[in-house]
Amino acid sequence: MKTFIRSSVALVLLMTIFSCKNGDRPKYQKSTTTLLPELEKSLEELVQVWYPKSMDSVHGGFWSDFNYKWEKEGKQHKMLVSQARHIWTTATLSMYYKDHVYEQMAQHGFEFLRDVMWDKAYGGFHTLFEIDTNSLKLVSKGKSAYGNSFAIYGLATYYKASKDTAALELAKETFRWLENHSHDSIYGGYFDVMAQNGDWLLEQGEDLGYDNFIRKNWKDQNSSIHLLESFTALYEVWPNQLLKERLQELLVLVRDTITSNKGYLYLHQERDWTPVSFRDSSETYRQDNFYLDHVSFGHDVETAFLMLEASHRLRIKNDSITRRKAKKMVDHALEWGWDHEKGGFFDGGYYHKDGTRKIENEAKVWWAEAEALNSLLLMAGLFPEEKSYYTLFTKQWEYISNYLIDTEYGGWYVEGLDTDPNAKTKAKAHIWKVNYHNIRSLINVIHMIKGEFQLTAH
């Protein structure tokens, strides 16, 4: 496999926000460079265990389900989110390694989205198909802004790698579909859950077929941050004025409304962005709805990165507001959600109405640990005077190496073995466990350590 030449789409742009004297790149501690071969080797091993194994030459797109030994096992549903994430990953790898093989994989995924998952009757992408004998059968009842955002993310990145204008046109069409069907012109932002024809579901939720049920007219942070992410990628290759306005709108909403003053994301909001909370409900009811209302440390550290990336893509000069808020989000997660003994971030905590707070889910989920690795080194470069970020970055990599990476069969466990020893024999891949979080994180930290970016401050 060829040595990489090109830097990632996101990082080559993002790193220009560093405020370094005399144009110098951030100076990490000398020991960081000793990690470089280890990180590069880990990335290569991760990539090789996924590809070309995941390529589905029978039905198109990518296989979804593998057991802990990387044997195909499961329903092999084709979900928009996982299919699009594979397109993003393979397109990014084609640029990272400058290897046309990955570009061909991304093209394979693009053709599946275009030919199978796009709704030719109503527009927008379908959410979920199942394999029915030798054909694919649509099983989803509605559409999702979250899923369509990942389609944009994958398509824009594939266009960046390949210059295939058909992919860019489909990404534009998806953006316009979201504008016409998902965007809220009164309160801003986007509704995630829509009917098959794109109508809003203001009076009832909709089961999309993959355990995603949103009540009434709620909005949510998860679709919002990933629309921010995908619009950032699309704006790089298509600097459209309306797209710019929507990207600006999302950045301000995520930073100033969806993120609390304490530095964590409200998970769900009413249509007017009033936070949804079960704090005043009975304890039993609150616990039953923990998934809908808690502090998610993984999303917080991920969003810090996505906000900075969006701010840079918008070329906002001296954006101290986004920089300060991103730091606050990482600091809040570290102060409360960090395991000081073994490293890693716990999954979720809760602020109770009596003012106390508690970690209520101690799981250390693979994607959150990957995002934390990226954001901790990013903070170390942005705030070199605070030495703790670099120390925590190295401890986070140590945690991932010891508890998440499977040295026998390859890949990452779904959860750290310290919080779930049984994760060792759980599935390595399914529709919600793909690879864009950890592959992006590894590529980003490698680029940061190697200094493969330009610093031209806005």
Side-chain angles (χ1 to χ4, degrees):
M1 196 174 287
K2 296 180 180 179
T3 304
F4 70 86
I5 296 175
R6 246 186 275 181
S7 56
S8 74
V9 174
L11 255 294
V12 72
L13 299 168
L14 173 61
M15 304 313 293
T16 64
I17 65 176
F18 283 132
S19 56
C20 302
K21 296 180 180 179
N22 303 320
D24 291 338
R25 66 181 179 86
K27 301 295 194 299
Y28 299 112
Q29 296 186 24
K30 185 177 180 180
S31 58
T32 311
T33 57
T34 66
L35 290 178
L36 186 59
E38 186 177 338
L39 290 162
E40 291 177 323
K41 182 174 182 290
S42 184
L43 172 63
E44 186 168 343
E45 290 173 346
L46 182 61
V47 170
Q48 288 178 348
V49 81
W50 279 94
Y51 304 111
K53 185 187 295 289
S54 297
M55 296 283 291
D56 181 356
S57 60
V58 179
H59 307 96
F62 300 87
W63 296 110
S64 300
D65 301 302
F66 292 88
N67 65 21
Y68 73 99
K69 294 182 180 179
W70 286 101
E71 300 164 335
K72 284 204 295 288
E73 181 181 306
K75 296 179 179 179
Q76 305 300 342
H77 284 172
K78 305 286 186 179
M79 186 178 73
L80 176 59
V81 174
S82 47
Q83 296 297 313
R85 285 173 171 178
H86 274 297
I87 297 171
W88 180 90
T89 300
T90 50
T92 299
L93 291 171
S94 75
M95 293 183 285
Y96 180 84
Y97 288 114
K98 203 174 183 182
D99 191 331
H100 189 64
V101 170
Y102 293 112
E103 184 182 318
Q104 292 175 327
M105 293 181 186
Q107 179 184 354
H108 174 79
F110 155 60
E111 291 172 351
F112 180 75
L113 252 61
R114 178 195 64 194
D115 299 339
V116 178
M117 300 208 75
W118 180 260
D119 185 346
K120 296 173 180 59
Y122 295 108
F125 284 100
H126 293 297
T127 300
L128 190 70
F129 286 83
E130 66 179 3
I131 298 175
D132 184 10
T133 313
N134 293 320
S135 62
L136 293 173
K137 177 183 176 182
L138 179 65
V139 295
S140 54
K141 300 177 182 178
K143 294 197 174 84
S144 165
Y146 177 86
N148 278 267
S149 76
F150 275 102
I152 291 174
Y153 194 47
L155 292 168
T157 307
Y158 169 60
Y159 169 74
K160 173 72 175 180
S162 67
K163 300 297 186 265
D164 185 340
T165 56
L168 178 59
E169 290 305 313
L170 188 53
K172 293 178 184 179
E173 191 170 357
T174 309
F175 168 74
R176 295 186 184 108
W177 187 87
L178 287 169
E179 177 66 20
N180 292 332
H181 295 281
S182 174
H183 183 256
D184 186 346
S185 61
I186 298 177
Y187 294 104
Y190 294 78
F191 291 107
D192 181 26
V193 183
M194 292 160 282
Q196 192 82 349
N197 65 359
D199 287 350
W200 292 351
L201 297 169
L202 297 182
E203 299 303 324
Q204 61 183 6
E206 179 79 6
D207 183 355
L208 295 182
Y210 57 69
D211 192 29
N212 181 19
F213 185 83
I214 305 299
R215 301 182 181 186
K216 294 184 179 179
N217 59 353
W218 286 2
K219 294 171 181 172
D220 69 291
Q221 60 81 24
N222 207 18
S223 60
S224 298
I225 66 172
H226 289 296
L227 284 162
L228 178 74
E229 172 185 58
S230 67
F231 287 6
T232 299
L234 183 57
Y235 188 63
E236 179 184 3
V237 296
W238 183 47
N240 173 268
Q241 180 58 35
L242 179 59
L243 174 60
K244 179 180 181 180
E245 292 172 8
R246 294 294 176 254
L247 181 56
Q248 291 171 327
E249 177 183 297
L250 280 168
L251 175 59
V252 173
L253 274 172
V254 170
R255 186 191 66 197
D256 300 342
T257 300
I258 300 176
T259 302
S260 72
N261 291 331
K262 291 181 183 294
Y264 68 89
L265 293 158
Y266 298 117
L267 298 192
H268 293 90
Q269 302 82 25
E270 302 285 354
R271 182 181 177 184
D272 65 359
W273 298 103
T274 300
V276 171
S277 174
F278 298 97
R279 190 172 290 112
D280 294 327
S281 303
S282 70
E283 184 62 12
T284 298
Y285 188 76
R286 185 197 67 77
Q287 290 181 0
D288 288 344
N289 288 277
F290 177 78
Y291 171 75
L292 301 173
D293 173 32
H294 66 275
V295 177
S296 174
F297 302 110
H299 284 112
D300 294 342
V301 296
E302 178 184 20
T303 300
F305 163 71
L306 296 178
M307 291 193 312
L308 289 167
E309 184 183 37
S311 174
H312 174 75
R313 175 48 51 203
L314 288 165
R315 301 184 67 82
I316 300 175
K317 295 182 179 180
N318 304 315
D319 189 3
S320 60
I321 298 175
T322 301
R323 182 184 171 106
R324 182 173 65 250
K325 196 60 168 279
K327 183 179 188 300
K328 188 172 187 177
M329 296 177 84
V330 174
D331 287 349
H332 176 267
L334 284 168
E335 186 269 328
W336 183 17
W338 173 258
D339 182 347
H340 293 274
E341 180 182 354
K342 295 180 179 177
F345 286 87
F346 298 119
D347 178 71
Y350 202 85
Y351 280 100
H352 294 272
K353 62 181 178 181
D354 63 1
T356 62
R357 66 184 189 181
K358 180 182 178 183
I359 298 296
E360 297 197 356
N361 185 358
E362 295 187 348
K364 296 178 184 175
V365 185
W366 67 279
W367 68 265
E369 307 310 327
E371 293 295 345
L373 186 75
N374 175 46
S375 291
L376 286 171
L377 189 59
L378 177 59
M379 290 296 114
L382 285 169
F383 304 98
E385 69 280 4
E386 298 191 31
K387 304 300 183 184
S388 61
Y389 288 127
Y390 171 76
T391 302
L392 293 166
F393 161 74
T394 58
K395 189 172 181 64
Q396 179 68 0
W397 176 241
E398 180 182 345
Y399 173 81
I400 290 170
S401 299
N402 290 338
Y403 295 103
L404 274 173
I405 295 177
D406 185 347
T407 58
E408 182 177 2
Y409 294 106
W412 288 30
Y413 302 119
V414 69
E415 184 180 334
L417 296 181
D418 58 322
T419 56
D420 182 13
N422 294 324
K424 197 166 188 177
T425 55
K426 291 183 178 179
K428 286 284 172 49
H430 49 72
I431 57 172
W432 285 115
K433 187 177 186 294
V434 194
N435 55 34
Y436 107 103
H437 287 288
N438 43 358
I439 286 180
R440 179 173 70 180
S441 178
L442 289 170
I443 288 176
N444 285 2
V445 299
I446 289 168
H447 282 314
M448 281 188 267
I449 291 171
K450 296 193 74 169
E452 295 187 341
F453 47 79
Q454 295 176 346
L455 291 170
T456 53
H458 292 171

